[in-house]
Amino acid sequence: MRIAVVEDDDGVGDALVEALTAHGHDPVRMRRGADILLGHREADLVLLDLGLPDADGLQVLRQLRSVSDVPVVVLTARNDERSVVRGLRGGADDYLVKPARLAELLARIEVVSRRSRVAAQEPVRTVTTGDIVIDLTARTVEAAGEPVALTAKEFDLLAVLVERPGSAVSRQQLMDAVWGDAYVAISRSLDVHMTALRAKLARPGLISTIRGYGYRWGN
Ligand code: CA
């Protein structure tokens, strides 16, 4: 992993670069806040000192956050609660006080980068309408806190509808999205699945029929 080590102290910076290299990372040493603001695209993760020669690290963090989601672990001598809270609120993914233990630092780098990879790949998307909660990522549905067992096709149908709450979705769009093509032959299939979906959700009126066109989720 390419790790930007933003640290003006050569003793600390060199030790970090050496340790990270020894553990298979690809560290890039930077000494000023301006360096990371210009070079953040070269980094998969940023280790950020707060006491920098050209700017306050918290300020650098805020500026960085306005242009990038790169994971940031603050590594600083400031151990007062106010700084920790400001660091985390300012967009740091983690906060470590110097001198950090190497194994802990490596573990935290690992956790933060894993979390950011997961977040980037699979944003958790849920839709809540009344007491119905649909998790589009996990493909689960709950009604009044109870799981509703849907078939794959029923879930696909539901997902298309709830992505446009309050908007009319045509039969054509539903069949294209769920079956891949709007064949006349499966038009009846759509009705069958829609009937089953409505029965399982047991919330009359939640899916309205728009005569001659299609369906709508919500009121
Ligand atoms: Ca410093």
Side-chain angles (χ1 to χ4, degrees):
M1 193 178 348
R2 298 172 307 169
I3 300 178
V5 178
V6 189
E7 171 63 72
D8 57 314
D9 183 302
D10 282 337
V12 176
D14 291 348
L16 283 170
V17 165
E18 194 177 319
L20 291 169
T21 305
H23 286 84
H25 293 297
D26 184 11
V28 183
R29 176 77 188 288
M30 297 179 181
R31 287 178 175 77
R32 300 176 311 141
D35 297 338
I36 187 61
L37 291 174
L38 289 172
H40 63 86
R41 282 184 195 84
E42 319 300 320
D44 302 314
L45 185 141
V46 179
L47 273 185
L48 182 66
D49 178 25
L50 294 187
L52 296 169
D54 61 329
D56 182 81
L58 289 173
Q59 180 66 33
V60 172
L61 178 59
R62 270 193 298 278
Q63 286 177 266
L64 183 60
R65 272 294 165 259
S66 67
V67 294
S68 169
D69 290 326
V70 65
V72 174
V73 176
V74 167
L75 183 57
T76 176
R78 295 186 202 166
N79 63 355
D80 60 293
E81 189 176 21
R82 195 176 131 81
S83 292
V84 176
V85 169
R86 286 179 69 202
L88 293 171
R89 288 232 174 98
D93 296 274
D94 206 346
Y95 194 109
L96 270 166
V97 174
K98 287 179 195 166
R101 287 165 295 197
L102 180 60
E104 181 177 359
L105 175 65
L106 291 167
R108 293 205 188 211
I109 284 172
E110 186 68 29
V111 168
V112 164
S113 84
R114 191 187 321 135
R115 205 188 293 146
S116 92
R117 279 200 307 274
V118 168
Q121 283 162 8
E122 285 184 57
V124 175
R125 293 156 62 228
T126 59
V127 175
T128 305
T129 306
D131 63 353
I132 307 279
V133 181
I134 300 136
D135 184 331
L136 294 167
T137 308
R139 292 177 65 89
T140 57
V141 181
E142 282 186 0
E146 293 296 317
V148 179
L150 298 183
T151 65
K153 282 275 185 285
E154 288 161 6
F155 189 89
D156 291 344
L157 212 48
L158 179 64
V160 179
L161 286 173
V162 303
E163 284 192 358
R164 304 172 188 81
S167 306
V169 182
S170 72
R171 295 178 62 86
Q172 181 97 21
Q173 283 173 300
L174 284 166
M175 289 189 284
D176 275 345
V178 176
W179 283 273
D181 204 350
Y183 286 114
V184 179
I186 58 162
S187 186
R188 222 157 40 94
S189 205
L190 173 61
D191 298 326
V192 170
H193 285 85
M194 190 60 77
T195 302
L197 179 59
R198 281 172 155 160
K200 286 182 180 178
L201 291 174
R203 297 293 181 280
L206 192 52
I207 300 175
S208 329
T209 302
I210 302 166
R211 202 171 290 278
Y213 183 76
Y215 301 91
R216 182 179 61 228
W217 176 264
N219 303 308

